[in-house]
């Protein structure tokens, strides 16, 4: 009997650790995601001037705001798919020198802070849009959203294309189909679910866009996101802000469900996948055309930002960069850089620990706690950062002052945004670990932690490093929620850029663009590290953010 109890102890220990691992993400996300939303609701109910949601929507013209939000997000999704289509073909089917650099160029806009993208497109100007007779504010917003989200379409769709069985295409060609007919009959039907899922994700991200619309909309383009900020911060009308927040949450949840359903419809593919071919002769012409197309959409805005940072007044100068580090100018960025890096590192550690714990629970448990924790861990990805940040402002008034002033608050919020990416990149890697290896290690007497460190960790190491890189750069560029929480000694670089853009004077504009170039440089280095570290599967998973 004693021997039986001894044998049962490891199993009981594994079950106890598994339950704890499933609870940790649930508690973390519950404290940092559910609590601020609940605080908003409580404040709205307790408000002396509280009105019904229907009345609040009427006062704020919510239907018009919803129409604009849905319209610009849908247009952005369609345009992103069209712009990304030739790039998807190049990434999925062509082997050429510089493929790594192309992946970096495609991914870089996706991880840039939205405030930096807004600054870049303001630097680029909207003269072309005016010449075409388009509304420059809305046109610039759509172009910026395409710039930001091309990577989503490229990664999601190219990952599916690369797994399509080449024998199916070869069979169609053998039966007399032309290359275009083989593509239309064999490849395209298998890609359409992935295209629809990627478009749904782009719609989701654009429906919660804030920094781009604030900077490029010039107050003329109003969406649910910007109106939540205006009602809550500008007018301090809590009931109206909460009513709009819940309307947006319904929109976001609908987009998340749609993306999930469409993603599951992706047909079965082959493990062998298609081989990328190196073109010959005239075959290089379409490759060159797609590279020019990519540069026009993704490199020109960044190039214009660099040029404007060096030509703040129409002549070449590094005055903007000098102003950043000039303490007497009042725009010294040294402290912001130091705090941005340290808070992003702390957020990266938190996101990796919580995300990895959630991923382990998702791959090894199927109970209600694990499923609930996994769902809550992914949900913050699509919820308005403005709503979340405003909720923190209300929540901190209900908590002890030490909590609201804690140096861990901003990194924890930044980690909350990055956790879904860590989960998305580590779950596929953990799913590839053979269970036999774990069982063999356990049979030799290794405990759950030892099994994970000796079996799982070496196999998922590259994916985990890539996830950490993405978590760092996302935390470094978080703008929406951090704007509400930043103090004089906790001002991050994106918040500083937003503040400089709001100040009059050419010097402040030059300093904002110079700071944006610094963020672009840091982001590019991290994306290059991620591309070098991540295996192919992890790179594809990251596309789903």
């Amino acid at each position: 009997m004693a021997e039986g109890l001894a044998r049962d102890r490891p199993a009981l220990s594994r079950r106890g650790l598994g339950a704890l691992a499933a609870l940790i993400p649930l508690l973390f996300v519950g404290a940092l995601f559910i609590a601020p939303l609940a605080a908003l609701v409580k404040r709205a109910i307790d408000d002396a001037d509280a009105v019904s949601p229907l009345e609040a929507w009427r006062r704020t013209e919510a239907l018009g705001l919803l129409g604009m939000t849905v319209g610009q997000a849908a247009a952005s999704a369609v345009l992103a798919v069209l712009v990304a289509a030739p790039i998807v073909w190049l990434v999925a089917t062509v082997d050429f020198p510089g493929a790594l650099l192309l992946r970096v160029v495609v991914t870089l806009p996706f991880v840039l802070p939205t405030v930096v993208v807004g600054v870049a497109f303001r630097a680029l100007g909207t003269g072309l849009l005016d010449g075409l007779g388009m509304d420059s504010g809305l046109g610039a917003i759509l172009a910026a959203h395409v710039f930001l989200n091309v990577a989503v379409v490229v990664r999601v769709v190219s990952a599916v294309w690369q797994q399509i069985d080449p024998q199916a295409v070869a069979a169609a060609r053998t039966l007399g189909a032309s290359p275009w007919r083989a593509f239309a009959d064999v490849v395209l039907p298998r890609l359409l679910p992935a295209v629809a899922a990627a478009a749904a994700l782009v719609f989701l991200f654009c429906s919660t866009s804030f920094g781009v619309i604030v900077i490029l909309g010039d107050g003329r383009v109003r969406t649910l996101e910007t109106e939540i900020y205006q009602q809550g911060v500008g007018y301090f009308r809590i009931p109206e802000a909460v009513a709009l927040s819940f309307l947006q949450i319904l929109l976001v949840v609908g987009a998340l469900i749609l993306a999930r359903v469409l993603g599951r419809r992706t047909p079965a593919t082959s493990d062998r996948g298609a081989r990328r071919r190196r073109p010959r002769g005239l075959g290089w012409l379409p490759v060159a055309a797609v590279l020019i197309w990519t540069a026009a959409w993704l490199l020109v805005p960044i190039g214009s930002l660099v040029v404007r940072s060096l030509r703040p007044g129409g002549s070449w100068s590094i005055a903007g960069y000098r102003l950043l580090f000039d303490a007497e100018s009042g725009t010294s960025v040294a402290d912001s850089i130091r705090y941005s890096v340290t808070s992003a590192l702390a957020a990266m550690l938190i996101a990796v620990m919580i995300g990895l714990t959630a991923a382990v629970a998702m791959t090894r448990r199927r109970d209600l706690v694990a499923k609930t924790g996994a769902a809550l861990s992914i949900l913050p990805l699509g919820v308005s950062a403005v709503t979340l940040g405003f909720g923190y402002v209300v929540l901190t008034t209900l908590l002890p002052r030490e909590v609201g002033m804690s140096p861990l608050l901003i990194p924890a919020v930044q980690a909350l945004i990055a956790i879904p990416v860590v989960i998305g990149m580590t779950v596929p890697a953990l799913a590839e670990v053979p269970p036999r290896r774990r069982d063999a290690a356990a049979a030799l007497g290794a405990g759950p932690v030892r099994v994970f460190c000796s079996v799982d960790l070496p196999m998922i190491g590259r994916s985990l490093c890539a996830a950490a890189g993405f978590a760092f750069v996302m935390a470094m560029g978080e703008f929406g929620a951090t704007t509400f929480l930043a103090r004089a000694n906790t001002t991050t670089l994106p918040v500083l850029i937003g503040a400089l853009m709001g100040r009059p004077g050419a010097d402040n504009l030059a300093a904002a663009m110079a700071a944006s170039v610094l963020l672009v440089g840091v982001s590019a280095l991290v994306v290059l590290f991620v591309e070098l570290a991540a295996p192919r599967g992890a790179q594809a998973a990251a596309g789903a953010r």
Side-chain angles (χ1 to χ4, degrees):
M1 183 175 180
E3 292 178 359
L5 289 174
R7 285 194 302 268
D8 289 342
R9 275 183 199 141
L12 291 172
S13 176
R14 285 193 292 271
R15 285 197 294 270
L17 287 174
L20 180 61
L23 278 173
I24 288 175
L26 185 61
L27 295 174
F28 180 85
V29 177
L32 290 171
F33 178 65
I34 304 290
L37 297 183
L40 270 180
V41 175
K42 181 180 183 302
R43 181 61 180 269
I45 294 174
D46 295 342
D47 196 301
D49 298 325
V51 295
S52 68
L54 291 178
E55 177 62 20
W57 291 339
R58 187 192 65 79
R59 290 183 181 182
T60 56
E61 300 177 345
L63 288 180
L65 295 172
L66 179 62
M68 174 58 73
T69 302
V70 171
Q72 61 85 22
S76 298
V78 172
L79 289 173
V81 170
L82 294 176
V83 171
I87 308 174
V88 170
W89 166 80
L90 184 61
V91 170
T93 65
V94 181
D95 178 25
F96 64 98
L100 173 63
L101 181 60
L102 175 64
R103 292 199 302 269
V104 172
V105 169
V106 170
T107 307
L108 179 59
F110 180 70
V111 298
L112 287 179
T114 55
V115 63
V116 172
V117 175
V119 173
F121 275 83
R122 173 167 285 190
L124 182 62
T126 56
L128 177 60
L129 297 169
D130 290 336
L132 295 174
M134 298 173 60
D135 182 276
S136 60
L138 183 58
I141 289 169
L142 296 179
H145 283 167
V146 170
F147 172 82
L148 276 167
N149 293 291
V150 159
V152 177
V153 182
V154 171
R155 286 183 173 272
V156 172
V157 181
S158 65
V160 174
W161 196 338
Q162 288 172 342
Q163 294 175 7
I164 293 176
D165 191 348
Q167 292 185 357
V169 180
R173 295 295 307 277
T174 302
L175 293 174
S178 65
W180 284 107
R181 180 66 181 272
F183 172 80
D185 291 346
V186 178
V187 178
L188 188 59
R190 290 168 168 80
L191 293 182
L192 286 179
V195 172
L201 285 172
V202 175
F203 176 88
L204 168 67
F205 300 143
C206 294
S207 65
T208 58
S209 178
F210 177 66
V212 166
I213 295 177
V214 167
I215 292 177
L216 298 178
D218 294 327
R220 293 180 291 122
V221 179
R222 297 165 58 225
T223 63
L224 287 173
E225 185 84 347
T226 60
E227 192 64 18
I228 291 169
Y229 182 86
Q230 186 65 30
Q231 293 291 331
V233 178
Y235 306 140
F236 210 71
R237 296 172 181 168
I238 307 298
E240 284 82 354
V242 171
L244 292 174
S245 296
F246 275 93
L247 184 61
Q248 187 181 55
I249 288 174
L250 291 176
L251 177 63
V252 166
V253 170
L256 278 172
I257 294 174
L258 180 63
R260 192 76 172 176
V261 170
L262 294 174
R264 285 178 177 173
R265 292 177 56 195
T266 302
T269 52
S270 169
D271 291 335
R272 287 171 294 182
R275 293 182 179 179
R276 294 189 300 166
R277 300 178 181 274
R278 177 158 295 197
R280 297 177 181 177
L282 295 178
W284 285 103
L285 290 179
V287 173
V290 175
L291 290 176
I292 293 172
W293 174 262
T294 305
W297 278 98
L298 303 182
L299 288 182
V300 169
I302 295 177
S304 69
L305 178 64
V306 175
V307 170
R308 284 292 300 273
S309 72
L310 294 172
R311 290 175 60 89
S315 58
W316 295 101
S317 170
I318 58 172
Y321 295 90
R322 288 175 178 168
L323 285 171
L324 290 179
F325 299 96
D326 184 3
E328 295 182 358
S329 67
T331 60
S332 176
V333 78
D335 291 338
S336 292
I337 292 177
R338 189 180 304 111
Y339 181 76
S340 293
V341 172
T342 55
S343 66
L345 287 173
M348 178 189 73
L349 292 175
I350 296 171
V352 168
M353 290 189 294
I354 301 297
L356 183 58
T357 303
V360 170
M362 290 171 64
T363 53
R364 299 191 188 181
R365 295 174 62 90
R366 295 293 184 268
D367 55 25
L368 180 61
V369 175
K371 292 180 179 179
T372 304
L376 285 177
S377 298
I378 297 173
L379 191 58
L381 184 66
V383 173
S384 161
V386 170
T387 299
L388 202 59
F390 189 42
Y392 280 114
V393 172
V394 176
L395 181 62
T396 52
T397 62
L398 306 175
L399 298 175
R401 184 176 181 273
E402 291 75 11
V403 176
M405 300 299 292
S406 172
L408 288 176
L409 183 58
I410 290 179
V413 175
Q414 293 172 335
L416 188 69
I417 309 299
I419 284 173
V421 173
V422 177
I423 294 175
M425 298 183 72
T426 52
V427 164
L430 284 169
E432 295 295 323
V433 179
R436 297 188 306 274
R437 295 192 181 184
R438 298 190 186 110
D439 295 340
L444 293 174
V449 177
R450 180 69 180 275
V451 169
F452 178 79
C453 293
S454 60
V455 177
D456 295 74
L457 199 56
M459 295 191 67
I460 69 170
R462 289 174 64 87
S463 296
L464 194 60
C465 287
F470 264 117
F472 174 82
V473 77
M474 290 181 70
M476 187 88 172
E478 206 288 318
F479 175 69
T482 308
T483 302
F484 290 85
L485 301 174
R487 304 289 185 269
N489 60 338
T490 59
T491 300
T492 62
L493 203 52
V495 174
L496 178 64
I497 293 171
L500 290 172
M501 289 293 296
R503 299 176 187 173
D507 290 345
N508 288 320
L509 180 61
M513 292 188 175
S516 299
V517 171
L518 290 180
L519 262 182
V520 170
V522 172
S523 301
L525 290 176
V526 175
V527 170
L528 178 61
F529 164 78
V530 169
E531 291 292 344
L532 292 173
R536 224 175 254 182
Q539 291 169 358
R545 194 141 66 164

